[in-house]
Structure formats: structure tokens, C-alpha cells
């Protein structure tokens, strides 16, 4: 097939718009949509200091690349935070890949490890309960990222979550009956405590496969190996379900996120308090007496 905008061969058919894209027009469309999202959602203000969470995978590397390009035309500061959870046989390579690409992009970065922060690797934490790997990893990583971003005086923490990630989280929270997590949304952290660095997700309206194509088109080096704990997670099953739905009913993934965004203000009002307290143990913000991170460490 030919590109809908020129006569070159198409590399991608976007089902939701019915458009075919050649490499150049796909790149142009992707960058334009990214810039529009930053501008319309006011994700980054002039002069702000932004921390980018980089894992070494395609999403976070693409985000770092796009923000680096944006910085050339729009004044803000940025640096990257790379978290080493301590997952043997996996993290070493993704870490190497993240450092290599960040150095090529000339982005300053900081590596923060679970071992330095908590005295143990993720492998140690979940030695007897691998099913708990992703929830433990998520709680501890969020803590490390927030703390480091705060130390660096960053006012935004950008993560590479894509549309597929967002939809999976919406369904997973709902299926678990976790009303609080389901009702938080991305602005939760901004409003509830000044100890949380505001999170932004500039890629949340991009399909995972579009990010992959963009990363390949731009010769970004990323690691695509899968974490050994991923097979224990519910996320993979929910992701496969969403893929099947999208295949049968194109735009399902967009509709789910946009529907969720519409009901979010009402969910916030019903289930999220205006402010929260601090953990009795570490004094970080929490809705419970002792925060989840401290509960994990105590265990
Ligand atoms: Fe952490 Fe789970 Fe992701 Fe592995 S798959 S990096 S354990 S959240």
C-alpha cells in the first residue's frame, strides 16, 4: 500500500484513522501529536526541571529522545533517573542499554538501585513469593523515583506509559476491586501532597506498537527482553484480552482511555480525599497509618 499523503510505500496502517503512513509521514505525525499533547495538556512549563524515568525499554527511550528534541526549541531542564531493581539475568542488559542511549543523547542520568535504597534487591524481596514481584517492584520503584526527583528539585516526573499500559491498569484496578487506585488517575499525585512530584505521561495516547515503530524508525537502541517476573503478572493476560478486542473492534483502546478520563473527575470527588497524612514510620505521604513501602520493608 502507498502512504495516504505521498506516493511512497506505507510502513504503517493506522486503523483508527484509516490512514497509511510512509516512514517520514509516520515520524512527522508522531512528533506532531507528541508536541500537541505537551502543549494542550500543559505538561511542561517554560524553565521547569523535568526528571525522566528511563528503564532502557522502547517507551522510556523514545520519551527521552522526544523530550531532548523538544528542549532544543523550548526552554526547560531535564535529567534521567534509571532504577536498578536488582533482577538478575534481566536488569544488567536493560541498564546497559539505557546508559548507552542516554549517553548518545547527551542526557545526564542518575542510577538508583533498590539495593542502595533498601539494602536488598527485588530478587531478595520476592525470593519466597514471586507472585508479589510486580506489586513490590511498582511500590518500591515509585518511591525511589519520587524521592530522587524531589532531591533533584524536579517539578515533573515523566514516565513512558503508553496507551496499552494505561488501559491495562484501568481494567486491572477494576477487576481487583481496587476502587482507590482506579479513582486516582494521573493528577492524583499533583493535588494530594506536595511531597509527590507531579507525574506526567506524555505517551499515554500512543499505542505500544506505534512507539515501537517510531523507535525503530529513529534507530534508537533499546532492550526488548522481558522481565522474568512478567509471567506472574495479571498485566500480560489483560493486555492480550485488549489486543483481541482491538483486533475485532478497532479504537477499543482509545475509547477505554478516553471514557475513563471523562469519569475521572467524578471518581476523584467520590473516592479520593483532599489531602493525606504521612507514614508513621518514614513520614512519606500515605493514606494508611504505615505506607506500603514500609510494610514491605518490615515484612
Ligand atoms: Fe518490575 Fe514486574 Fe515490570 Fe519486572 S515485570 S520490571 S517485576 S513491574
Amino acid at each position: 500500500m502507498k502512504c495516504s499523503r505521498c506516493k511512497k510505500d506505507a510502513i504503517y496502517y493506522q486503523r483508527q484513522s484509516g490512514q497509511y503512513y510512509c516512514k517520514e509521514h509516520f515520524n512527522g505525525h508522531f512528533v506532531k501529536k507528541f508536541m500537541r499533547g505537551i502543549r494542550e495538556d500543559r505538561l511542561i512549563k517554560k524553565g521547569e526541571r523535568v526528571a525522566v524515568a528511563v528503564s532502557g525499554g522502547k517507551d522510556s527511550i523514545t520519551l527521552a529522545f522526544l523530550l531532548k528534541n523538544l528542549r532544543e526549541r523550548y526552554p526547560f531542564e531535564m535529567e534521567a533517573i534509571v532504577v536498578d531493581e536488582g533482577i538478575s539475568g534481566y536488569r544488567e542488559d536493560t541498564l546497559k542499554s539505557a546508559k548507552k542511549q542516554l549517553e548518545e543523547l547527551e542526557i545526564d542520568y542518575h542510577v538508583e538501585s533498590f539495593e542502595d535504597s533498601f539494602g536488598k534487591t527485588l530478587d531478595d524481596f520476592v525470593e519466597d513469593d514471586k507472585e508479589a514481584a510486580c506489586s513490590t517492584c511498582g511500590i518500591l520503584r515509585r518511591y525511589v523515583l519520587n524521592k530522587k526527583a524531589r532531591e533533584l528539585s524536579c517539578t515533573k516526573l515523566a514516565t513512558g506509559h503508553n496507551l496499552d499500559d494505561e488501559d491495562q491498569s484501568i481494567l486491572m484496578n477494576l477487576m481487583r476491586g481496587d476502587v482507590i487506585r482506579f479513582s486516582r488517575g494521573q493528577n492524583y499525585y499533583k493535588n494530594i501532597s506536595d511531597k509527590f512530584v507531579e507525574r506526567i505521561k506524555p505517551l499515554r495516547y500512543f499505542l505500544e506498537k506505534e512507539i515501537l515503530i517510531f523507535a525503530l524508525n529513529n534507530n534508537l537502541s533499546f532492550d526488548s527482553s522481558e522481565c522474568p517476573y512478567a509471567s506472574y503478572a495479571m498485566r500480560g493476560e489483560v493486555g492480550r484480552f485488549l489486543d483481541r478486542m482491538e483486533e475485532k473492534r478497532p479504537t477499543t483502546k482509545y475509547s477505554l482511555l478516553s471514557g475513563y478520563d471523562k469519569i475521572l473527575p467524578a471518581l476523584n470527588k467520590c473516592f479520593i480525599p483532599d489531602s493525606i497524612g504521612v507514614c508513621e514510620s518514614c513520614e512519606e505521604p500515605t493514606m494508611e497509618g504505615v505506607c506500603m513501602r514500609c510494610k514491605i520493608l518490615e515484612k
Side-chain angles (χ1 to χ4, degrees), residues 59 131 134-135 138 141-142 160-173 175-176 181 201 208 226-227 229-244 253:
D59 304 314
E131 303 266 326
C134 290
S135 55
R141 191 177 31 201
R142 275 193 293 277
H161 291 93
N162 59 46
L163 178 58
D164 296 70
D165 297 327
E166 291 288 88
D167 279 349
Q168 289 157 15
S169 298
I170 293 167
L171 286 189
M172 281 160 55
N173 289 333
M175 285 159 79
R176 288 188 185 122
R181 281 225 172 99
K201 299 176 184 173
E208 182 179 14
E226 191 174 65
C227 171
Y229 296 117
S231 57
Y232 296 95
M234 183 184 190
R235 187 172 285 279
E237 285 170 62
V238 173
R240 285 188 288 279
F241 164 73
L242 280 164
D243 287 344
R244 282 200 304 277
K253 291 182 181 177

Side-chain angles (χ1 to χ4, degrees), residues 211-278:
I211 296 173
L212 175 64
I213 294 170
F214 184 82
L216 293 171
N217 276 354
N218 290 280
N219 299 320
L220 300 177
S221 51
F222 57 88
D223 191 288
S224 48
S225 51
E226 191 174 65
C227 171
Y229 296 117
S231 57
Y232 296 95
M234 183 184 190
R235 187 172 285 279
E237 285 170 62
V238 173
R240 285 188 288 279
F241 164 73
L242 280 164
D243 287 344
R244 282 200 304 277
M245 292 302 292
E246 180 70 30
E247 187 58 37
K248 278 191 188 160
R249 300 167 208 279
T251 75
T252 294
K253 291 182 181 177
Y254 287 97
S255 304
L256 179 58
L257 185 60
S258 95
Y260 173 74
D261 284 349
K262 282 183 195 133
I263 58 167
L264 195 56
L267 289 170
N268 280 180
K269 245 186 227 167
C270 288
F271 298 107
I272 303 297
D274 294 334
S275 64
I276 52 174
V278 291

Side-chain angles (χ1 to χ4, degrees), residues 15 58-59 72 101 128 130 145 185-186 214 227-228 242:
R15 292 181 77 194
K58 63 185 182 322
D59 304 314
E72 279 161 19
Q101 186 64 72
D128 300 324
K130 297 196 172 20
L145 285 170
Q186 62 170 357
F214 184 82
C227 171
L242 280 164

